[in-house]
Amino acid sequence: TSAVTIIDPFQNYLDALKSCFDFDQLRKFGSSGFSILFDGMHGAGGQFAKRVLVEELGLPESSLMRCNPLPDFGKCHPDPNLTYASELVKKMGLKSDGSADASTDASTLPMLGAANDGDGDRNLIAGAGFFVTPSDSMALICDNYEAIPQFAATGLNGVARSMPSSAALDVVAEARNIPCFVTPTGWKFFGNLMSSKESFDGKDYTPFICGEESFGTGSDHVREKDGLWAVLAWMSILSKANEGVSEGEALVGVKEIVTKHWAKYGRHFYCRYDYEGVDSDAANQVMDIIRDNLVNGDASSVESGDADIKFVDAVEFSYTDPVDGSETSKQGLILNFELGPSGDPARVVFRLSGTGSAGATIRMYLEQYEKDTSKHGISAPVALKDLADEALRLVQMEKTTGREAPTVIT
């Protein structure tokens, strides 16, 4: 005979979140001028959001949109990014590229905008007229960990990001003396770091936060991404930032928190170009061109197409796991650049996804560091356009694939 045990996943999950956050404080903040718009994208996370945000924290039901799970996700693509969460993006006063819509009055918008994907593990974060990239979100959570009870008492013993994510996290970790790891894409690599002590009798890296550029953020409370956890982390950061604000004063918003962070650490402009459905042979040829001409070639012989963008070198990313010693190779091709006249670093990463019979997706990740605060307000796609053009020229994208433009920019 066997027994079937029925559990309440809502209560179990709620207990996990309550071990991370101060629900009494969040409930108080929620009734003091804070507002949120949460897009469940008709996925599994919607009902959890209702339980936490409405039933536990007392926020109005109008804070939720598309939080009724549907088997076909309401015929939408449940991916929390600027393209597929377009309705939320518009309601937060943003254009499709993440820049502010000047025709919208930011004072009338929710303080925090958020979205979950189909199974609730990924997240999008935005403020009123202000989009937060996943890489910046992770860096901000790291720098403001004192606002989150899960970390406030002990601090962080480790942080990690996937290699294609921006180095915004690295800069904060170095300044705050927190061990930082750059891993291949895949949550299993973060899991090893979280389990270093209990499973491998190694160094304890918990408390721990981690994330990927593909809108995934998490901590060691579970061994997976957790979209609602990220939302409550941001709500906690906003609550802490507004502790000294008197009644009647304007609340400190997401934009103010992020721009202050950039002024301190510099901004890592970041976006991703996806070329979907590329002929597999052509996609592999692009990667071979990078390996032959740039990784294994002579960097000094590479002619620049832009006087202000100097090609430095190219490497193929590999990873030796510090916990179990396993090795992972061919995880992406990295082109490093130097920008003139500042000398600031920039890089472009190329990765292939889905090289099957239906074709391949070439992903190009663009990152450019900027310390000058007068340039921090430029939208990322505009700031990165010259870098993108130079990288596409070097890898002969249009000539090899026939593609004049990416399918999606996020």
Side-chain angles (χ1 to χ4, degrees):
T1 62
S2 59
V4 176
T5 302
I6 299 174
I7 66 168
D8 179 357
F10 288 96
Q11 191 58 50
N12 287 2
Y13 182 57
L14 187 59
D15 290 344
L17 290 180
K18 285 185 174 180
S19 73
C20 300
F21 303 103
D22 185 342
F23 271 50
D24 290 337
Q25 177 57 38
L26 293 180
R27 192 177 300 110
K28 180 180 177 182
F29 180 55
S31 63
S32 303
F34 170 79
S35 57
I36 184 173
L37 183 58
F38 181 94
D39 184 358
M41 305 192 85
H42 294 306
Q47 291 298 296
F48 288 90
K50 181 179 179 180
R51 175 73 177 267
V52 172
L53 298 177
V54 176
E55 297 177 18
E56 291 290 331
L57 299 183
L59 294 165
E61 290 230 24
S62 58
S63 301
L64 308 178
M65 60 179 283
R66 299 197 296 180
C67 281
N68 56 315
L70 296 174
D72 63 352
F73 305 108
K75 303 193 185 312
C76 75
H77 186 63
D79 201 349
N81 59 39
L82 293 168
T83 299
Y84 297 117
S86 58
E87 187 178 351
L88 172 71
V89 167
K90 185 176 181 179
K91 289 178 181 292
M92 291 305 299
L94 294 167
K95 296 179 180 178
S96 59
D97 65 356
S99 60
D101 182 350
S103 67
T104 304
D105 181 359
S107 67
T108 66
L109 303 173
M111 177 179 280
L112 181 64
N116 254 177
D117 66 337
D119 59 356
D121 63 352
R122 291 188 292 142
N123 71 94
L124 178 149
I125 296 294
F130 195 87
F131 170 64
V132 184
T133 69
S135 296
D136 276 343
S137 178
M138 191 165 34
L140 265 292
I141 292 172
C142 177
D143 198 38
N144 292 275
Y145 71 76
E146 293 93 345
I148 302 170
Q150 180 184 358
F151 310 127
T154 60
L156 288 165
N157 283 335
V159 296
R161 65 172 174 90
S162 63
M163 181 276 289
S165 306
S166 90
L169 178 66
D170 309 39
V171 174
V172 174
E174 181 178 7
R176 307 209 64 173
N177 198 30
I178 301 169
C180 181
F181 301 90
V182 179
T183 75
T185 298
W187 216 258
K188 66 179 182 179
F189 299 101
F190 299 148
N192 259 17
L193 291 164
M194 287 186 246
S195 302
S196 176
K197 182 178 180 180
E198 64 183 12
S199 298
F200 298 91
D201 198 27
K203 184 174 180 178
D204 189 2
Y205 294 114
T206 61
F208 183 88
I209 63 169
C210 51
E212 299 177 335
E213 56 75 35
S214 54
F215 296 83
T217 316
S219 80
D220 59 287
H221 71 294
V222 294
R223 296 299 192 265
E224 183 53 279
K225 303 177 284 290
D226 188 344
L228 198 50
W229 180 92
V231 175
L232 294 185
W234 266 97
M235 193 173 172
S236 299
I237 291 169
L238 286 163
S239 175
K240 182 75 172 179
N242 284 284
E243 280 184 346
V245 176
S246 303
E247 187 174 349
E249 285 186 54
L251 293 176
V252 177
V254 171
K255 180 179 180 179
E256 290 79 14
I257 291 171
V258 178
T259 53
K260 183 179 178 181
H261 179 91
W262 289 342
K264 180 178 180 180
Y265 293 106
R267 180 178 180 184
H268 292 256
F269 284 103
Y270 186 89
C271 72
R272 186 178 95 188
Y273 285 24
D274 283 1
Y275 294 82
E276 299 176 351
V278 177
D279 175 79
S280 293
D281 289 339
N284 281 303
Q285 188 178 347
V286 169
M287 304 301 278
D288 289 340
I289 288 171
I290 298 172
R291 289 190 182 94
D292 294 342
N293 297 352
L294 304 176
V295 175
N296 300 321
D298 179 7
S300 63
S301 66
V302 176
E303 295 185 3
S304 174
D306 188 318
D308 288 330
I309 303 176
K310 177 185 176 184
F311 174 74
V312 176
D313 62 18
V315 296
E316 186 153 19
F317 181 69
S318 60
Y319 178 72
T320 301
D321 195 301
V323 176
D324 64 12
S326 61
E327 296 186 358
T328 308
S329 60
K330 295 186 177 181
Q331 292 299 300
L333 298 164
I334 307 170
L335 280 59
N336 294 306
F337 298 87
E338 183 180 290
L339 307 178
S342 66
D344 286 336
R347 70 168 192 163
V348 180
V349 176
F350 287 89
R351 296 181 70 245
L352 279 189
S353 176
T355 53
S357 58
T361 295
I362 301 175
R363 291 199 168 101
M364 181 175 78
Y365 310 81
L366 300 150
E367 178 182 0
Q368 180 173 311
Y369 179 77
E370 181 58 68
K371 187 67 176 175
D372 186 349
T373 56
S374 69
K375 298 179 181 178
H376 287 174
I378 304 171
S379 73
V382 172
L384 294 164
K385 180 64 166 56
D386 290 345
L387 178 64
D389 288 345
E390 178 65 0
L392 292 170
R393 183 190 68 84
L394 287 174
V395 306
Q396 304 174 37
M397 181 69 80
E398 183 176 350
K399 177 182 177 182
T400 307
T401 67
R403 298 298 182 88
E404 297 180 358
T407 311
V408 178
I409 298 178
T410 57

